[in-house]
Amino acid sequence: MLLSVRDLIVEFYTYRGIVHALNGVSFDLDKGEVLGLAGETGSGKSVTAFSIQRLLPANAKIVSGKIVFDGVDLLELSEEKMREIRGQRIATIFQDPHTYLNPVFKIERQFLDVLKYNDPEIKALENKKEAERIAFEKAVEMLKKVKMPAPERVLKMYPHELSGGMKQRVLLAMAYSLTPDLIIADEATTALDVTIQAQVLEIMKELQKEKNLSVLLITHDLGVIAENCQKAAIMYAGRVVEIGDVKKVLISPKHPYTQGLLKALPRTDKEVELVGIPGTVPDLVNPPTGCAFNLRCPYAKEICRTKVPPYTLEEGSTVACYLYGGK
Ligand SMILES: Nc1ncnc2c1ncn2[C@@H]1O[C@H](COP(=O)(O)OP(=O)(O)OP(=O)(O)O)[C@@H](O)[C@H]1O
Ligand code: SF4
Ligand SMILES: [Mg+2]
């Protein structure tokens, strides 16, 4: 097991009151595994990613839970140790590459800084010129790996001279250059047009296989999960409500929410009527008691409105729903 998140509870303190963003998130990720995390907007996907990196904003608090990475609870680490983990072992790629590239510096400067501060081999070199030369070579090599055209020229450019897809490739190259054990990609390809998105996902897949990396792939696009992940986790109102083998979850979903998500998805293989999930996602300042999905669920019964459903194993998937057990 590389990453094990257990009963993670995160709150935000806002002028509206306390936002109960994560309400007991649990999932495991093995070495070399790609886990897709899906769910409607506001379900807590990004807050989960930020919690793992311990990069939550100042108004948030991890109330309880564990995030065990390679045997160590990240929530117990000093900030200094956490910085090392962030730089070298867990890399994150976000949706909006502009935010993570500084517009006033050329790509070369930003890429070399990442390597000089985080790559142990380059960091250890006393001769600064030599360190710079090796870092440059490594940057070029990594840009070639992400199939960047003319990498030497790209390194001399400013971020605004690159397209969205090129910027995302630069960030991918930076993230993978440190050979992390875990990559968290939070809607990393959502802003790209479909053909570029497919290329970037293909590159991510190749790099993942080459180094046997673990990937937490966050997306609201179930098609992306079907094509790129071995396991799928579905989040609703700050909790994973179903997790299992990707084929099982997407072909024979167990949780009424997962079933609803799939019914709302356009199909090209057969003609089916699209049915949206009635109602809206609950306000997490005032979440419903019991199962958070109970106000929208066609099968809700009395217990659903009062007690949070425990996890049950159902045909290989883990589901939080009273239809499959729990009292
Ligand atoms: N800085 C913040 N202050 C207050 N509440 C926040 C903050 N960031 C997130 N939240 C709340 O936490 C909950 C989870 O948000 P999160 O960003 O994780 O959703 P998400 O699943 O990533 O959605 P999306 O698909 O839109 O990216 C939401 O209710 C959101 O309003
Ligand atoms: S626990 Fe109850 S309300 Fe929640 S999804 Fe299952 S049947 Fe529906
Ligand atoms: Mg998000």
Side-chain angles (χ1 to χ4, degrees):
M1 188 71 57
L2 181 72
L3 176 73
S4 176
V5 177
R6 279 288 162 278
D7 301 319
L8 193 63
I9 296 186
V10 174
E11 292 175 348
F12 285 90
Y13 304 97
T14 71
Y15 70 96
R16 287 204 310 128
I18 299 175
V19 180
H20 300 274
L22 300 190
N23 300 298
V25 169
S26 298
F27 64 87
D28 294 326
L29 180 57
D30 276 330
K31 189 154 174 42
E33 192 170 59
V34 183
L35 168 67
L37 189 59
E40 274 166 297
T41 181
S43 58
K45 305 180 296 294
S46 297
V47 173
T48 302
F50 283 118
S51 303
I52 296 169
Q53 287 276 49
R54 275 195 25 205
L55 286 175
L56 286 167
N59 67 332
K61 187 177 162 202
I62 296 181
V63 178
S64 59
K66 279 188 193 309
I67 302 176
V68 181
F69 175 73
D70 205 8
V72 176
D73 188 350
L74 298 182
L75 302 182
E76 307 274 320
L77 285 187
S78 66
E79 183 46 39
E80 196 190 336
K81 283 258 175 289
M82 195 58 219
R83 221 173 295 138
E84 279 175 24
I85 297 249
R86 250 181 246 132
Q88 296 167 17
R89 305 204 55 200
I90 305 180
T92 315
I93 310 159
F94 293 100
Q95 172 170 0
D96 190 359
H98 324 279
T99 325
Y100 300 91
L101 288 169
N102 191 327
V104 300
F105 296 120
K106 288 182 178 165
I107 302 297
E108 176 179 5
R109 162 88 180 270
Q110 301 186 54
F111 208 141
L112 298 204
D113 278 353
V114 166
L115 291 169
K116 281 192 287 188
Y117 291 113
N118 296 301
D119 186 312
E121 204 184 309
I122 294 171
K123 224 165 123 183
L125 288 172
E126 299 228 339
N127 182 333
K128 296 291 158 228
K129 274 234 150 63
E130 180 68 355
E132 195 102 336
R133 189 185 63 77
I134 294 181
F136 188 86
E137 278 174 10
K138 190 156 187 185
V140 171
E141 184 202 336
M142 282 315 298
L143 287 172
K144 279 186 185 154
K145 269 205 167 47
V146 298
K147 303 193 170 62
M148 179 74 91
E152 282 94 348
R153 218 172 54 224
V154 167
L155 283 169
K156 302 289 174 204
M157 290 179 173
Y158 288 95
H160 75 264
E161 297 175 86
L162 306 181
S163 70
M166 285 165 94
K167 278 197 260 254
Q168 202 56 293
R169 277 171 209 229
V170 168
L171 287 183
L172 272 180
M174 282 185 189
Y176 284 92
S177 67
L178 301 169
T179 48
D181 304 276
L182 170 64
I183 299 263
I184 302 175
D186 187 356
E187 304 279 7
T189 58
T190 308
L192 307 173
D193 69 58
V194 261
T195 50
I196 307 288
Q197 177 180 43
Q199 286 169 11
V200 172
L201 284 166
E202 200 46 48
I203 292 165
M204 284 177 69
K205 222 185 214 170
E206 280 171 25
L207 293 170
Q208 182 272 332
K209 282 213 183 104
E210 185 185 320
K211 305 269 184 212
N212 197 31
L213 302 178
S214 306
V215 178
L216 180 62
L217 188 67
I218 298 176
T219 172
H220 60 266
D221 188 336
L222 292 173
V224 166
I225 291 195
E227 289 203 1
N228 296 280
C229 304
Q230 286 121 35
K231 242 165 63 176
I234 309 295
M235 279 190 85
Y236 188 77
R239 208 168 171 230
V240 173
V241 294
E242 176 160 3
I243 181 167
D245 177 87
V246 70
K247 287 201 185 76
K248 288 206 165 117
V249 173
L250 298 185
I251 292 171
S252 56
K254 299 284 173 291
H255 196 282
Y257 176 61
T258 320
Q259 291 171 355
L261 275 185
L262 284 156
K263 276 194 203 129
L265 211 65
R267 308 262 310 234
T268 47
D269 55 340
K270 56 181 174 185
E271 226 173 83
V272 282
E273 193 193 345
L274 290 188
V275 192
I277 304 173
T280 51
V281 278
D283 177 8
L284 295 178
V285 173
N286 214 345
T289 51
C291 170
F293 192 55
N294 79 64
L295 298 173
R296 304 170 78 185
C297 178
Y299 313 105
K301 42 190 180 179
E302 195 48 40
I303 191 170
C304 305
R305 307 196 200 281
T306 51
K307 253 179 91 183
V308 176
Y311 287 111
T312 320
L313 198 61
E314 179 69 19
E315 291 174 16
S317 295
T318 302
V319 199
C321 173
Y322 286 116
L323 293 176
Y324 306 98
K327 283 184 221 146

